[in-house]
């Protein structure tokens, strides 16, 4: 069975899609906007009360969050063994703690079919470290933790990755082939719609 056959035959799973849901994928997230999108006029009311900005309200009117399925990545993935052809996540893994990342990677290995692909995009730790300037440390700190106030604490980074650490992580989970790729280059389908943030990311694929 070719890669194209696998992608056509089995579902594709998008982890942490937020406002970037892609057709023909199971688009998942934990954002509260999922629930807002399911309550008639809730987004409009929040916008009128100045609790939702114009850009986010526009996304609600476009129906972006109605395309999402709620999924907590700290829990087992709700799919049978060998039932998913491709898994994609962009700037998600760094928001999990190390034990959660390891458990999620094992879960991805469990649900993905033989020959399936997992593509992970994460901030490039080596690039972040290289930006450190003892006289101006705040650029480094912002990139490292991505949090500056208590209100943004839920979006803080809890871990970071290098190319070798990703390779070790996925090999330990049972993937047989791993590779660092480039922006919108790889075996994962729909990269023109999925890949983003090319100037600050590692693009990594693992094949089962």
């Amino acid at each position: 069975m070719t890669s194209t056959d696998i992608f056509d035959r089995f579902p594709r799973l998008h982890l942490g899609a937020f406002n970037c849901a892609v057709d023909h994928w199971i688009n998942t997230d934990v954002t509260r906007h999922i629930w807002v999108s399911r309550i008639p006029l809730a987004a409009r009311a929040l916008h009128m009360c100045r609790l939702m900005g114009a850009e986010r309200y526009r996304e609600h009117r476009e129906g972006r969050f109605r395309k999402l399925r709620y999924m907590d990545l700290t829990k087992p993935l709700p799919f049978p063994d060998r039932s998913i052809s491709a898994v994609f996540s962009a700037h998600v893994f760094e928001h999990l703690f190390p034990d959660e990342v390891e458990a999620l990677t094992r879960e991805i290995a469990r649900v993905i079919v033989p020959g399936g692909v997992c593509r992970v995009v994460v901030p490039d730790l080596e690039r972040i470290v290289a930006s450190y300037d003892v006289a101006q440390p705040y650029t480094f700190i912002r990139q490292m933790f991505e949090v500056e106030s208590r209100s943004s604490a839920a979006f803080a980074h809890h871990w970071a990755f290098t190319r070798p650490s990703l390779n070790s992580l996925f090999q330990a989970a049972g993937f047989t082939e791993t590779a660092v790729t480039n922006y919108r280059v790889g075996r994962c389908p729909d990269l023109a719609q999925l890949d983003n943030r090319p100037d600050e990311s590692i693009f990594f694929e693992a094949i089962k």
Side-chain angles (χ1 to χ4, degrees), residues 85-131:
S85 63
V87 176
F88 177 87
S89 79
H91 289 256
V92 172
F93 274 42
E94 67 272 16
H95 295 283
L96 302 173
F97 290 101
D99 59 326
E100 295 169 341
V101 170
E102 292 174 4
L104 174 58
T105 308
R106 291 193 298 270
E107 277 295 288
I108 293 171
R110 177 184 66 80
V111 302
I112 210 163
V113 300
V117 59
C118 175
R119 185 175 180 91
V120 173
V121 183
V122 292
D124 186 344
L125 178 58
E126 293 180 63
R127 184 195 60 79
I128 294 171
V129 170
S131 74

Side-chain angles (χ1 to χ4, degrees), residues 2-176:
T2 66
S3 295
T4 301
D5 293 334
I6 291 173
F7 299 143
D8 289 341
R9 181 176 175 184
F10 296 94
R12 311 165 191 176
L13 178 61
H14 187 181
L15 304 177
F18 191 57
N19 59 355
C20 298
V22 175
D23 291 342
H24 311 301
W25 287 72
I26 301 170
N27 298 284
T28 70
D29 207 284
V30 294
T31 177
R32 63 183 181 179
H33 291 286
I34 295 173
W35 314 121
V36 172
S37 72
R38 285 154 172 71
I39 302 172
L41 302 178
R44 181 182 179 186
L46 289 169
H47 178 61
M48 292 179 66
C49 294
R50 299 185 179 180
L51 296 174
M52 179 183 292
E55 178 67 16
R56 195 69 71 224
Y57 180 48
R58 179 185 63 79
E59 292 172 346
H60 271 280
R61 287 188 286 114
E62 292 172 352
R64 294 196 186 193
F65 299 105
R66 289 196 295 271
K67 299 178 180 179
L68 297 179
R69 170 177 171 176
Y70 181 86
M71 191 172 297
D72 183 348
L73 298 182
T74 67
K75 298 180 179 179
L77 297 176
F79 302 101
D81 296 357
R82 300 185 174 189
S83 61
I84 300 293
S85 63
V87 176
F88 177 87
S89 79
H91 289 256
V92 172
F93 274 42
E94 67 272 16
H95 295 283
L96 302 173
F97 290 101
D99 59 326
E100 295 169 341
V101 170
E102 292 174 4
L104 174 58
T105 308
R106 291 193 298 270
E107 277 295 288
I108 293 171
R110 177 184 66 80
V111 302
I112 210 163
V113 300
V117 59
C118 175
R119 185 175 180 91
V120 173
V121 183
V122 292
D124 186 344
L125 178 58
E126 293 180 63
R127 184 195 60 79
I128 294 171
V129 170
S131 74
Y132 179 72
D133 180 350
V134 66
Q136 298 288 337
Y138 299 110
T139 297
F140 166 82
I141 293 170
R142 289 187 185 98
Q143 292 180 90
M144 190 68 194
F145 299 106
E146 207 167 85
V147 58
E148 295 186 60
S149 66
R150 187 175 297 274
S151 63
S152 61
F155 307 103
H157 289 179
H158 297 307
W159 205 236
F161 302 90
T162 64
R163 291 155 183 83
S165 73
L166 285 170
N167 183 67
S168 298
L169 176 69
F170 278 84
Q171 287 192 347
F175 285 84
T176 59

